[in-house]
């Protein structure tokens, strides 16, 4: 158990809908990262937040947005969902803002999103 | 920009045999290199990382990797595998000046009894 929690574990929805994925980082970790894992694209970095502010951006679509709240939990919002958004979405946390080259990322168990 | 190529999508091996999972990267800048393991229905767990210094890096669960700058490789090895090592392994790279991590496509290690 990494200490990172993600809810829900599974989510099934329809095209065009909007969903929110939630992540609670390990106690004391200030950074939260979001990743998308799909069969065709592999594991892709989406976005990083540090202490409430956006820190780094990866291949995140404009239909997707994220935020980190004062209690440090984070939410990933996915809107106008398409079939191709079906994937496993991981959240990771790390103690500091330095990114992977200075501190280790701890991954949550993921949320499996199925868009029908 | 960086990229990572994991040369084998699947590696079947018998229990107690040695294994090598291959990873090549390309980058125009200095990099940090990582290996992660993903067990079924779980998130990724860091096995080991190379930041600088000794090119032979030891990680958890008996794994080690060697950074070879001239060949731009970071192959993962274990001298004797167990059934419990069956998992997917990801090689990853991040540039020393940035925070984004690029993951390889993964190598599925299947250990047979």
């Amino acid at each position: 158990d990494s200490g990172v929690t993600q809810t829900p574990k599974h989510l099934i929805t329809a095209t065009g809908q909007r969903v929110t994925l939630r992540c609670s980082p390990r106690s004391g970790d200030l950074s939260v990262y979001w990743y998308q894992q799909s069969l065709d694209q592999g594991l892709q970095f989406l976005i990083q937040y540090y202490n409430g502010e956006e820190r780094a951006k990866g291949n995140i679509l404009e239909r997707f947005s994220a935020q980190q709240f004062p209690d440090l939990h984070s939410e990933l919002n996915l809107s106008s969902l398409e079939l191709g958004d079906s994937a496993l979405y991981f959240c990771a946390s790390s103690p500091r803002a330095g990114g992977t080259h200075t501190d280790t990322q701890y991954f949550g168990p993921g949320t499996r999103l199925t868009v029908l | 920009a960086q990229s990572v190529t994991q040369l084998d999508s699947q590696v079947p091996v018998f229990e107690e045999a040695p294994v090598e999972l291959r990873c090549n990267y390309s980058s125009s800048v200095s990099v940090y290199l990582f290996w992660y393991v993903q067990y079924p229905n779980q998130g990724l767990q860091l096995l080991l990382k190379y930041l600088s210094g000794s090119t032979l890096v030891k990680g958890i669960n008996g794994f080690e990797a060697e950074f070879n700058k001239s060949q731009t490789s970071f192959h993962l090895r274990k001298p004797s595998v167990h059934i419990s090592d069956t998992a997917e392994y990801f090689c990853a790279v991040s540039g020393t000046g940035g925070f984004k991590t690029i993951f390889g496509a993964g190598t599925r290690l299947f250990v047979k009894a």
Side-chain angles (χ1 to χ4, degrees), chain B residues 37 39 61 63 78 80-87 89 109 111:
Chain B
V37 60
Y39 297 104
N61 301 341
F63 284 93
K78 185 168 182 178
S80 175
V81 293
H82 304 289
I83 297 285
S84 59
D85 292 322
T86 294
Y89 292 79
L109 175 64
V111 181

Side-chain angles (χ1 to χ4, degrees), chain A residues 37 57 90 98 100-101 107-108, chain B residues 32 38 43-44 94 99-101:
Chain A
Q37 185 179 36
K57 216 166 191 177
F90 286 109
T100 58
H101 56 287
F107 281 75
Chain B
Y32 300 112
Q38 184 179 25
L44 277 70
S94 73
F99 306 100
K100 300 175 191 178
T101 303

Side-chain angles (χ1 to χ4, degrees), chain A residues 55-94:
Chain A
R55 183 79 173 178
K57 216 166 191 177
N59 300 322
I60 188 165
L61 300 171
E62 284 192 13
R63 299 183 285 109
F64 296 0
S65 64
Q67 54 183 328
Q68 186 179 28
F69 295 87
D71 67 352
L72 301 177
H73 90 271
S74 177
E75 292 181 356
L76 179 67
N77 299 296
L78 316 176
S79 61
S80 303
L81 284 168
E82 303 174 359
L83 296 177
D85 298 327
S86 294
L88 201 50
Y89 291 84
F90 286 109
C91 165
S93 73
S94 69

